[in-house]
Every structure is written in structure tokens, then in C-alpha cells.
Amino acid sequence: MTNAVFQLSCQRNNYPWGKKGQQSLAVKLCEKTKEYAEMWMGDYPDIPAKSLEIGEKLQTIIEQNKEKLLGKKCIDKFGGQLPFLPKILSIQKAFPLQGHPNKSLATRLHQKNPKQFTDENHKPEIAIALSEFEVFAGWKPLHEIQPLFQLQPLQRFLPRTHASFNDERLRSVTQTILQASDDVIAGTQKALATVSREEYGQQAYILGLLGRLQQQYSQEDAVASIYIPADGIHAYLSGDIIECMARSNNVLNSGFCPRADRDSIELFSASLTFSTHSVETMLLRSEPSPKSGGGKTLVYAPPMSEFNMILTALKESETETIRSVDEPMVMIVTSGSRSMKADGETHNIKDGYVYSIGQGIELVYETDAGLEVYAAYAE
Ligand SMILES: [Zn+2]
């Protein structure tokens, strides 16, 4: 039986006569009661991007114009679709502690359960901060994990044998913690909060996290950009980011989400890599992009082959040329405005505009007050 009075969640409807974005009262009011988490900017069918002009799905347009948009090189290497998926994420609270199966596990899972694991592909991803961004990624070095588990409340998760920590032991301890009941976790959290700062030693910052989070075995750092390998453990805690990943939507969830949404803990812990024990291995540093004509573009090149991301940052009255890449590209303006010359046309651009750029097209950006553009391209 329903309540007599309840709140409604209303949908937006897009017509060309409407006001744009935040200028629209319909949007502003609609947004007050909804969580907007992600914006997808690719041809992936779950949340497809469409041509603004003709309303057709990017996927359909690419299918009908493969040679022109993707080019032979990309088709030969990745098939007739974009091999990457860029997204904007706005994170208000920690989202599920997760890992994405690597290629061989993804293939097996897809064969067994294609409904849940829609892709045979791996899903390494990068994240670049657009605001202050907090993340758990990878593992602490073993020599920092070992003393933490000497804290009395954590000792219950250790196996009986008194071996020193190695990666396999960390895997089994992780599994034990994830399998613990909510009561045990709540009790552990409470007990950890009463342990004195001195006992935490160098890692006393963990005390500050306890109120917000359930897990204490990962690491936190203020970062600008990171690379998560296909089987790396991670959870984004807060902030706005631009993310790009290989074409896949496979995910194994555990922790920071309702119990019913958690995937098999055995599968989750078996799928993880334990090779990432330092912030250095996860940081993704930018370098000058060879595609830049004027030196105002940086490239983030993750250590695998599907895509790179470039960032063009222009100050007042500056211009930049992006040399034609022979792979398809998706770009988004994250701040600023003015114009982009491409394929003999000049497009007015401003923050929020997303373009699909076919292979072999040179771009020239111009701005009056400044411009910031991110673009992902196949690699
Ligand atoms: Zn992820």
C-alpha cells in the first residue's frame, strides 16, 4: 500500500525550444532532487551519445561511416567501434570499492554470464581531477600494512599461522574482511576509533577517515591523475573527474555499497592484482603532446594501448593546433569558449560541448578569455 503523500522524481524532456543547461529553470528544479553521477561521451550502447544536430546515435553514425570516422588502422586493430569510453564523473560519496576483470577473466565471465559481464574486454581506466578529488587506489606497501594489523581490533582478521605479510596473505586477509558480517565491521570500526594516535604511528590519518569509510587497508592520497590497471582495486571518494577507459562495462563491486549489490567476494579477491603497492605506480603523469602545434597541449598516456587523453589549456587570446591524428577522437570543453576550426568549418565552442572527431582531422582552437579541452583518442 502506498503512502498518501510521497515525493516524485520527475524526468526532463529535451526540445529545441528549451533553454540550455543551467539557464533552464526546468533543469535547475529537476536537478534539485536527482543525483547526477556520470556523463558518457561515447558510442557505448548503454548510455549512448547522439549527434546534437540530427539526433542519431553516435554508434549508428560510426557504423555507417566506419572508414571515414574510424579509419582503417583503428578498424583493423579494434573493430568497427570506438575502443574507448570517456566520462565525466561527479562524486558526492564513496562509490563501490571495485576492480575490473582483466582480459582473460573478462572473457571467461562473459561466456558464463553475458548479462552481467557484457564485455570480453578488460577495462583499465584513467582519472584526471577537475576539482579536488579523493581516491583509494591500489595497496599500501607491505611494510606499512604489517604494523596496522598489529592493532588489536584488526588482529581477528589475520590467519592463525604467524607468517609475515606477502601479497597472497594480503589477498586472503582482504577476503576475510570483506566476508565479515556488518556487526563485526561496525565493532571493528568502533574499536579502531578508540586506538590512540600513537599506536597508528605514521598512519594516524586513518583515524580521520574512520567516520566516513569502512575499509582501512587501501591508501589515500591527493592526486591529479591516476591510472588504474585492469585488475587494480579502487574506489573514488569525492570530487569531479574526467575518466576514460577501454571499451568495457564490466565491474566487480565490493564494499561501500549495499550487501546485495556486492559480487562474489571470492571472485572479487581472486581477480585483484596485488602488484600496486605505491602511489608512484598509480600516478599518471602528463607530458608535452607530440600532436601539439603550439606547445599548449599535454598528453596522458596510460601504459596500455587503447587510448590516450590530451589536455589543451589556453590562456587569454591564445590559439593551439592539434595535428591530425589518424584515429577517432572524442573531445569535451570543460571550461572557456570561442572556436574550433575543423574540416573546413568553424564551430563555436564552450564548456559542456562534446564533439566526435573523425580520424585524420586537424583542429585549431581559439579563445578570448581562456579555454580547457580534453580529448580522448584511440592509440
Ligand atoms: Zn572503476
Side-chain angles (χ1 to χ4, degrees):
M1 200 59 175
T2 180
N3 291 335
V5 178
F6 52 91
Q7 194 171 7
L8 294 177
S9 148
C10 304
Q11 305 292 323
R12 295 177 295 171
N13 199 358
N14 307 331
Y15 288 112
W17 46 260
K19 290 187 180 176
K20 287 204 165 89
Q22 286 299 321
Q23 291 156 15
S24 164
L25 185 61
V27 164
K28 266 198 217 163
L29 294 180
C30 196
E31 283 176 353
K32 296 256 181 207
T33 53
K34 277 216 178 67
E35 295 85 24
Y36 290 95
E38 299 189 336
M39 167 175 170
W40 290 29
M41 300 177 281
D43 62 343
Y44 201 85
D46 293 25
I47 304 177
K50 294 177 183 171
S51 158
L52 191 62
E53 196 184 357
I54 59 171
E56 187 61 87
K57 283 184 191 161
L58 177 60
Q59 189 181 23
T60 311
I61 299 173
I62 287 179
E63 266 166 22
Q64 292 165 355
N65 302 275
K66 272 184 213 163
E67 294 282 336
K68 178 175 179 180
L69 296 178
L70 300 180
K72 192 174 170 337
K73 195 168 141 196
C74 183
I75 297 170
D76 288 350
K77 204 165 165 191
F78 302 115
Q81 49 195 11
L82 287 181
F84 58 84
L85 175 58
K87 300 176 183 175
I88 300 286
L89 267 61
S90 286
I91 305 142
Q92 178 69 35
K93 58 181 184 191
F95 80 57
L97 186 66
Q98 58 185 238
H100 306 290
N102 62 22
K103 243 179 196 152
S104 67
L105 180 61
T107 308
R108 266 190 293 137
L109 291 173
H110 176 72
Q111 275 162 7
K112 250 170 70 186
N113 184 357
K115 253 199 178 139
Q116 185 183 354
F117 301 100
T118 45
D119 300 278
E120 290 189 322
N121 202 11
H122 65 167
K123 191 192 171 194
E125 56 193 34
I126 64 167
I128 302 169
L130 300 177
S131 70
E132 197 173 295
F133 169 46
E134 287 180 297
V135 57
F136 277 141
W139 308 93
K140 285 176 173 298
L142 291 169
H143 67 86
E144 287 181 25
I145 292 175
Q146 177 107 33
L148 278 181
F149 278 88
Q150 298 314 307
L151 297 177
Q152 205 276 328
L154 291 180
Q155 285 183 18
R156 64 183 303 160
F157 300 112
L158 294 175
R160 274 185 197 184
T161 53
H162 216 74
S164 68
F165 256 90
N166 58 23
D167 289 350
E168 274 320 298
R169 193 159 190 234
L170 182 57
R171 188 191 301 278
S172 84
V173 169
T174 301
Q175 190 171 330
T176 309
I177 292 175
L178 292 174
Q179 279 166 334
S181 70
D182 289 342
D183 285 354
V184 167
I185 294 297
T188 307
Q189 245 179 300
K190 240 187 185 164
L192 281 171
T194 64
V195 172
S196 71
R197 288 191 87 80
E198 289 72 53
E199 281 192 72
Y200 280 95
Q202 299 280 16
Q203 305 179 71
Y205 72 91
I206 289 173
L207 272 170
L209 281 175
L210 279 173
R212 291 166 56 199
L213 304 166
Q214 293 176 330
Q215 262 82 26
Q216 291 84 32
Y217 51 84
S218 282
Q219 65 190 22
E220 192 212 32
D221 204 349
V223 294
S225 49
I226 54 168
Y227 164 66
I228 314 273
D231 35 18
I233 192 166
H234 60 288
Y236 300 149
L237 305 184
S238 68
D240 300 292
I241 57 172
I242 183 161
E243 194 188 38
C244 194
M245 60 205 60
R247 187 190 182 89
S248 167
N249 202 23
N250 291 335
V251 60
L252 290 165
N253 285 332
S254 192
F256 303 149
C257 64
R259 229 152 238 279
D261 294 347
R262 296 184 189 177
D263 294 298
S264 148
I265 286 163
E266 291 83 13
L267 180 62
F268 179 70
S269 31
S271 75
L272 294 175
T273 175
F274 286 80
S275 63
T276 46
H277 278 295
S278 78
V279 176
E280 272 311 305
T281 56
M282 319 279 307
L283 282 183
L284 179 66
R285 296 190 193 285
S286 60
E287 41 193 272
S289 167
K291 307 204 182 299
S292 163
K296 299 181 185 79
T297 299
L298 299 170
V299 63
Y300 295 88
M304 41 78 192
S305 65
E306 275 107 321
F307 65 87
N308 282 349
M309 175 88 84
I310 49 176
L311 161 61
T312 302
L314 301 185
K315 295 196 202 78
E316 226 170 276
S317 308
E318 288 185 339
T319 65
E320 170 73 311
T321 301
I322 307 295
R323 297 198 183 99
S324 73
V325 293
D326 47 6
E327 286 93 10
M329 187 184 260
V330 171
M331 71 77 133
I332 178 169
V333 182
T334 50
S335 72
S337 64
R338 174 91 190 253
S339 68
M340 172 179 73
K341 289 196 186 107
D343 202 21
E345 275 187 73
T346 300
H347 305 263
N348 290 323
I349 54 173
K350 61 179 187 177
D351 50 330
Y353 283 25
V354 181
Y355 280 84
S356 167
I357 315 278
Q359 52 84 28
I361 303 289
E362 182 183 89
L363 305 175
V364 178
Y365 297 125
E366 288 182 345
T367 183
D368 299 320
L371 186 70
E372 207 172 77
V373 181
Y374 286 87
Y377 59 91
E379 177 59 20

